[in-house]
Amino acid sequence: MHGAFADGSGWRGIYDILTNKGYNVTVVHNPLTSLEDGVQAVKIALDKLDESAVLVGHSYGGAIITEAGNHPNVAALVYVAAFQPGDGETALQWIQTAPPATENGVLPPDENGIIYYEKDKYHMGICADLSAEDANFMYASQGAFYAKGFVTPIKNAAWKSKPAYGVIATEDKSIPPEIQEAMYKRSKTIFTYVKGSHAVYISQPQLVADVIISASKMD
């Protein structure tokens, strides 16, 4: 599940790695309209499965899998540079626990309640380890992210009852690594440090795929 300021196309590298190993991969489109809509999109995909699934979320997508992960078909969770709120917590609460990086370009909500990322900061703030051409495509293809998803509290955090794995992007300028670390330590998530930007799932697909594969083998 992709997060804000992106779309599902960034998962192509991981999709190729996993499908070549025989995994059945579904890239769920995140509507970005609300937390509830995102959770519903994941549940619809999970309902179609006749096997256990590893649910993977990046950035704001981590909040969605935290709620959607209670689905009976979910065997494990993987948080990739992602928010991991607990019961009654929001993604906004966690991002406020550390000062933002100077490269961070998240703008206030507009008159429609949509949050955008400052165009001039997008490359360095989201995906500094990708080419300028790839950054420009990501910016052009992102969905419209409604702020209310960022302030909707989690009702029942799935990581309390499901095995959780995490990837900490050490060069992340959107969710500081110390925030990722604090969330994952609190939840006893098994996490791996990967040198990469916030878009680590694109820049380091093999290393992220390795974590997903480990989660799939969890007994």
Side-chain angles (χ1 to χ4, degrees), residues 14 17 78 80 166-167 192-196 200-201 203-214:
I14 290 176
I17 292 167
V78 177
V80 181
V167 172
T192 302
Y193 293 99
V194 175
K195 186 176 181 179
V200 66
Y201 65 108
S203 63
Q204 299 283 7
Q206 184 62 62
L207 296 178
V208 175
D210 289 344
V211 174
I212 297 171
I213 292 167
S214 294

Side-chain angles (χ1 to χ4, degrees), residues 101-163:
T102 56
E103 296 89 346
N104 190 301
V106 176
L107 298 171
D110 69 5
E111 65 276 8
N112 296 311
I114 299 173
I115 300 177
Y116 293 95
Y117 208 97
E118 188 176 342
K119 187 174 184 179
D120 290 344
K121 288 190 172 184
Y122 190 90
H123 190 189
M124 290 299 103
I126 295 283
C127 51
D129 48 0
L130 299 181
S131 69
E133 291 78 12
D134 286 342
N136 288 339
F137 175 77
M138 285 184 66
Y139 184 86
S141 61
Q142 66 180 297
F145 175 48
Y146 285 77
K148 61 183 177 181
F150 215 50
V151 298
T152 301
I154 296 298
K155 294 179 180 177
N156 183 19
W159 52 258
K160 295 183 301 179
S161 58
K162 305 284 178 83

Side-chain angles (χ1 to χ4, degrees), residues 2 11 15 26-27 32 40 42 50 55 64 87 95 104 113 134-135 151 155 162 182 184 191-193 207 211 215-216:
H2 68 84
W11 291 96
Y15 169 88
T26 299
V27 179
L32 299 174
Q40 181 62 17
V42 174
D50 56 5
L55 205 52
I64 291 175
D87 294 353
I95 200 63
N104 190 301
D134 286 342
V151 298
K155 294 179 180 177
K162 305 284 178 83
Y184 302 163
F191 60 84
T192 302
Y193 293 99
L207 296 178
V211 174
S216 74

Side-chain angles (χ1 to χ4, degrees), residues 74-79 158-165 189-190 215 218-219:
V74 175
L77 306 163
V78 177
Y79 292 84
W159 52 258
K160 295 183 301 179
S161 58
K162 305 284 178 83
Y165 289 71
T189 291
I190 300 169
M218 181 75 177
D219 292 329

